[in-house]
Amino acid sequence: LSSIEHILRTKNYDAFGLRRLYANLLREAGIEHQIVLTTDRSDSPFDATFENHSYIRDFLLYFPTIDKYLEPERHDLGLGYPGSEHTGTSGLFIRNVELGGVFAGVGSVKTIPQLPAESTTHDMQVDVRFNVDASEATIVHKNEMSGYYASYWQNFHLYMNEDQRTQMYDALLGFLINGAHEKKITVANAGLINFGVVPLQLQAEVTTNMFTHQAGDEVLFDLGSLIGPQMEMYAEEERLLPVDEYYQRRYTRTLTVSLPQGYVCRDLTSVNIDRELVMDGKVLASFRSNATLVDGKIEVTANEVYSTTHVPVENFEAWRSVINAAADFNKVKLVLSKE
């Protein structure tokens, strides 16, 4: 299964055979590349000062001309997105040299950089319109996902059956579509060819009473719930170890709420949240949300960015406060009162 001849004849291969196939095809095509051998940093971080064969178990390809990586064995990823566990660490880079018609490799240890937060995003645009008495709302919820967030859904959506797609929608939009009177879901940019090129688009339009609650003459509107469930972190014991996450990421959320005629919202202060993690004078994580009311429309932005995956233990509390800020926003409710 590792023989090139066997692979071309049978279309079957093992991991080593796939690596050989890629390397030989690239060389024959004259595409400059380097083989990179590394390890899963969450399992066994690469120590460049200590020679150990366990550090060179995993295989990547590096294309210096475009400064991008490819992991051939990861069918859920594509060019520019190696496995996140193989970034933010070191690797053995092997470049081809030809000596008298014989190919050889020259190796050096270098850093495999992490992708910036802008490479993995989940953006939302939400539009809310109430019925006459604000007992229910019609919500258009647009999602755009890119990078590692989109990898599984974007690459395998076309191969899913209806039951699997239903499970996908429930996993991503269950907080919105479950219990809705009416719902319509559309998907765009699915397919492996779009991964890393354009974001996966997932839109749901629902009519629901799940976010409105009558309280006498007032209506409580669960604004924060529209961004979906959020992780909460509580530390009952003192943190002893640093935080290491898989990848940097960014969330941009815009929510537009059109107030029903005859209703007002007098207090938007609960929407305003501003927390950040600062290390070495740089903001490496933040959650910022605010709201304005103009011409009967509440415009809300809630942006969240994580520009690092490694947080020393002494910065843990600041990092945790940013994580919990999203959970705090998720609990925000607005009071709609009659004029």
Side-chain angles (χ1 to χ4, degrees):
L1 293 178
S2 60
S3 164
I4 299 295
E5 180 181 355
H6 175 85
I7 294 171
L8 295 177
R9 186 177 70 253
T10 67
K11 307 297 188 294
N12 293 308
Y13 54 80
D14 60 11
F16 183 63
L18 182 63
R19 298 172 183 180
R20 291 187 67 191
L21 180 64
Y22 264 85
N24 280 276
L25 287 174
L26 291 169
R27 187 173 64 186
E28 287 297 316
I31 299 175
E32 184 182 1
H33 66 283
Q34 297 177 17
I35 291 173
V36 183
L37 300 177
T38 187
T39 184
D40 183 338
R41 62 180 165 87
S42 67
D43 178 50
S44 179
F46 194 109
D47 184 351
T49 66
F50 182 70
E51 186 173 336
N52 188 333
H53 286 178
S54 66
Y55 295 155
I56 53 174
R57 293 176 295 187
D58 300 332
F59 178 93
L60 286 73
L61 290 166
Y62 173 59
F63 301 92
T65 303
I66 58 175
D67 192 27
K68 292 184 182 294
Y69 294 81
L70 175 68
E71 194 161 340
E73 295 162 55
R74 290 290 301 271
H75 302 301
D76 59 326
L77 299 173
L79 180 63
Y81 286 88
S84 60
E85 68 276 13
H86 297 140
T87 65
T89 187
S90 297
L92 177 63
F93 287 66
I94 304 172
R95 59 184 178 86
N96 285 324
V97 294
E98 185 178 358
L99 302 172
V102 177
F103 284 99
V106 177
S108 58
V109 175
K110 301 178 185 178
T111 298
I112 307 170
Q114 289 186 328
L115 296 178
E118 292 74 19
S119 296
T120 297
T121 63
H122 186 174
D123 299 337
M124 292 181 184
Q125 287 185 309
V126 183
D127 183 81
V128 181
R129 298 178 183 273
F130 298 96
N131 64 351
V132 176
D133 62 356
S135 60
E136 65 179 22
T138 297
I139 302 171
V140 178
H141 202 288
K142 300 178 181 179
N143 292 262
E144 286 194 349
M145 292 176 285
S146 69
Y148 295 115
Y149 276 144
S151 62
Y152 178 80
W153 307 116
Q154 194 165 28
N155 291 334
F156 296 118
H157 182 269
L158 297 179
Y159 303 103
M160 294 178 179
N161 58 37
E162 285 304 312
D163 287 342
Q164 292 169 328
R165 291 184 182 184
T166 298
Q167 292 175 16
M168 166 189 169
Y169 302 148
D170 188 63
L172 296 174
L173 294 171
F175 68 93
L176 180 70
I177 61 178
N178 291 338
H181 307 318
E182 301 177 16
K183 60 184 177 182
K184 177 183 178 182
I185 299 175
T186 56
V187 179
N189 299 335
L192 181 60
I193 194 173
N194 292 313
F195 177 72
V197 180
V198 291
L200 174 70
Q201 296 179 346
L202 178 62
Q203 176 175 311
E205 182 174 349
V206 303
T207 299
T208 179
N209 60 8
M210 299 295 290
F211 299 90
T212 54
H213 311 280
Q214 298 290 330
D217 292 333
E218 297 179 327
V219 176
L220 296 181
F221 174 54
D222 293 338
L223 173 75
S225 296
L226 290 174
I227 70 170
Q230 301 294 309
M231 180 177 66
E232 294 181 89
M233 291 194 66
Y234 298 101
E236 297 180 357
E237 299 179 355
E238 182 181 0
R239 180 81 182 191
L240 300 178
L241 296 174
V243 173
D244 281 288
E245 295 196 285
Y246 279 113
Y247 45 79
Q248 300 178 26
R249 58 204 186 275
R250 187 208 72 202
Y251 308 84
T252 301
R253 311 175 181 99
T254 302
L255 300 87
T256 302
V257 181
S258 298
L259 294 175
Q261 189 171 2
Y263 282 81
V264 295
C265 182
R266 295 187 173 88
D267 186 4
L268 295 173
T269 57
S270 61
V271 178
N272 300 326
I273 301 174
D274 190 347
R275 298 181 196 169
E276 61 183 24
L277 164 67
V278 179
M279 293 169 52
D280 298 326
K282 298 180 180 180
V283 178
L284 296 183
S286 65
F287 183 97
R288 294 187 173 93
S289 61
N290 59 76
T292 58
L293 176 59
V294 180
D295 297 331
K297 289 186 177 182
I298 301 172
E299 298 284 350
V300 179
T301 60
N303 300 329
E304 189 176 0
V305 182
Y306 298 91
S307 298
T308 183
T309 60
H310 179 78
V311 181
V313 67
E314 59 268 24
N315 300 106
F316 172 73
E317 286 301 323
W319 179 81
R320 186 170 71 96
S321 73
V322 176
I323 293 285
N324 285 340
D328 292 342
F329 182 89
N330 185 240
K331 300 183 182 74
V332 169
K333 300 180 186 297
L334 299 181
V335 179
L336 310 184
S337 307
K338 292 185 177 180
E339 292 180 310

